[in-house]
Amino acid sequence: MLKHYLTTAFRNLFRDKIFTVINIMGLSIGMAVFLLISLWVGYEKSFDTFHEKSDRIYKLMVDMTTPNKPVTIWSNTPAPIGPVLESKIPEVEKVIRTSSNRGTKFIFEEEQIYETCIYADSMFFEYFTFQLRYGNPEQVLNQRDAMVISEKLAKKYFKDKNPVGQTMEIKEWFTEETRNVVISGVFENPPANSTLHFDMVMPFETFLFYTPNNMHWGNYNHASYVVLRPNTNVSDVNIKLKNFIKENRPDRESTAELFLYPLKEIHLKSDFSKGKKASGAIVLIRLFTIVSYFILIIACINYINLSTANITRRYKEVGIKKIIGAGKGMLAWQFMMESFLLNFAAIIVAF
């Protein structure tokens, strides 16, 4: 029986080629747009989710809003805040400080090339899942003159050789002098869905050694990522954090209020209103999601309308089949089979 339904359905579809092509193209275009938007939405929502501890990593934000000025949220914090935070708030497992992404000059085989670099605390690769090709995550940033480079740089300068142990001469943006560093590890290139992008990582303590003025509580020049212990209530930690800078900087009156912001939401929800999520790329995500469903619904409605209009041309066929004994069930199965084949073809074309 199934073979009969399939054979009849194929004959009817091929007999009315224009109707079949219009229906398949209408459905497939609607499905293709829906799939493309869904893929894009999925990609946008995947930012920073590849970190194994992403559920416990938060960025430390500063609310500098005062009654006389609009909402002002800073994403950078003072460098001394990390060690103090770890010692005073038991729910905090680790604070990872990073510098902003800056260009650093490589002096390699008499060539001078700029590459992007950040400075990060020694446990950076243990808490952020940037896989290491060479080196130990717990040790690669332990030495003052250590440097971890990306796969891209390793291939660029050393081809297919293991560069660990090689010495390179660099010139950093905060000094006029050059210095030698030793490559201690190689990490996989950061994925496209990462909010952190860099070609090199060097120890944060090295940066502070050469720029001691950054240890002042008034210099908001560095990002701080807080790793909370498992099963920690974020709201409780935020209460303890709120006046942390005011309590630890008695030399000057400060309006700064701290709060934690989930790492996975930084890409989509980058605008704030008094320390709360407000808007950002998430607005576009929601808009395009609604649009994708509308397009799919319109394609389906168009298909239903065309099918309904076409049925009037098949009254004679239906009448003859009823005369020779076809029941409602058999007719329904035949039309269902034709609909299934049309939709299946549209899905293939859409993909």
Side-chain angles (χ1 to χ4, degrees), residues 53 56-61 75-98 119-128 204-205 208 217 222-229 237 241 244 258 260:
K53 297 180 174 66
R56 296 195 286 127
I57 301 176
Y58 295 79
K59 191 170 186 179
L60 195 59
M61 311 293 283
S75 59
N76 286 344
T77 56
I81 204 169
V84 180
L85 205 62
E86 289 179 11
S87 63
K88 291 191 175 182
I89 300 183
E91 292 92 340
V92 174
E93 180 177 320
K94 198 70 183 174
V95 178
I96 308 293
R97 299 167 296 176
T98 65
Y119 296 81
D121 278 319
S122 59
M123 305 302 286
F124 178 78
F125 286 102
E126 185 176 350
Y127 287 97
F128 286 86
F204 194 77
E205 292 299 329
L208 294 178
W217 278 86
H222 315 95
S224 297
Y225 295 91
V226 177
V227 184
L228 297 181
R229 299 188 187 280
V237 179
L241 280 175
F244 198 80
L258 296 177
L260 297 177

Side-chain angles (χ1 to χ4, degrees), residues 310-324:
N310 188 60
I311 198 69
T312 58
R313 300 167 56 189
R314 301 181 63 179
Y315 283 154
K316 184 177 179 180
E317 173 193 342
V318 172
I320 292 172
K321 286 185 176 180
K322 282 186 175 182
I323 290 171
I324 61 175

Side-chain angles (χ1 to χ4, degrees), residues 38-143:
S38 298
L39 287 170
W40 176 73
V41 168
Y43 167 74
E44 290 292 315
K45 288 184 175 180
S46 72
F47 266 72
D48 294 318
T49 56
F50 62 90
H51 297 295
E52 294 176 3
K53 297 180 174 66
S54 61
D55 290 336
R56 296 195 286 127
I57 301 176
Y58 295 79
K59 191 170 186 179
L60 195 59
M61 311 293 283
V62 188
D63 188 345
M64 300 295 288
T65 308
T66 61
N68 299 321
K69 65 179 181 180
V71 173
T72 305
I73 305 295
W74 292 359
S75 59
N76 286 344
T77 56
I81 204 169
V84 180
L85 205 62
E86 289 179 11
S87 63
K88 291 191 175 182
I89 300 183
E91 292 92 340
V92 174
E93 180 177 320
K94 198 70 183 174
V95 178
I96 308 293
R97 299 167 296 176
T98 65
S99 70
S100 57
N101 200 328
R102 295 290 189 97
T104 297
K105 185 189 293 183
F106 264 96
I107 303 170
F108 184 77
E109 294 181 353
E110 299 183 353
E111 287 188 46
Q112 297 186 4
I113 308 168
Y114 281 92
E115 305 290 358
T116 56
C117 171
I118 65 169
Y119 296 81
D121 278 319
S122 59
M123 305 302 286
F124 178 78
F125 286 102
E126 185 176 350
Y127 287 97
F128 286 86
T129 312
F130 296 106
Q131 299 290 347
L132 291 177
R133 289 284 185 176
Y134 302 105
N136 187 323
E138 299 179 11
Q139 299 175 357
V140 288
L141 293 174
N142 281 350
Q143 302 299 318

Side-chain angles (χ1 to χ4, degrees), residues 208-224:
L208 294 178
F209 176 80
Y210 287 103
T211 59
N213 60 304
N214 279 296
M215 280 303 290
H216 192 276
W217 278 86
N219 287 340
Y220 291 76
N221 297 328
H222 315 95
S224 297

Side-chain angles (χ1 to χ4, degrees), residues 3-16 20 337-338 341:
K3 182 180 178 182
H4 168 73
Y5 288 141
L6 281 170
T7 303
T8 306
F10 272 116
R11 284 175 181 171
N12 288 326
L13 292 175
F14 277 104
R15 184 174 59 196
D16 199 346
T20 302
M337 185 60 67
E338 290 179 22
L341 291 175

Side-chain angles (χ1 to χ4, degrees), residues 255-273:
T255 61
E257 295 181 355
L258 296 177
F259 65 95
L260 297 177
Y261 198 71
L263 175 67
K264 294 190 295 185
E265 295 187 5
I266 290 174
H267 175 70
L268 291 181
K269 301 173 183 177
S270 55
D271 294 337
F272 298 89
S273 175

Side-chain angles (χ1 to χ4, degrees), residues 231-292:
N231 304 316
T232 297
N233 189 315
V234 181
S235 299
D236 293 341
V237 179
N238 275 331
I239 293 172
K240 297 179 180 180
L241 280 175
K242 185 175 181 180
N243 298 313
F244 198 80
I245 291 181
K246 299 175 186 177
E247 295 167 357
N248 289 276
R249 192 187 176 190
D251 61 312
R252 183 180 174 184
E253 186 178 349
S254 174
T255 61
E257 295 181 355
L258 296 177
F259 65 95
L260 297 177
Y261 198 71
L263 175 67
K264 294 190 295 185
E265 295 187 5
I266 290 174
H267 175 70
L268 291 181
K269 301 173 183 177
S270 55
D271 294 337
F272 298 89
S273 175
K274 198 58 181 175
K276 297 180 180 179
K277 310 165 195 174
S279 59
I282 190 64
V283 176
L284 280 178
I285 295 294
R286 290 167 180 163
L287 176 63
F288 273 90
T289 300
I290 293 170
V291 168
S292 69

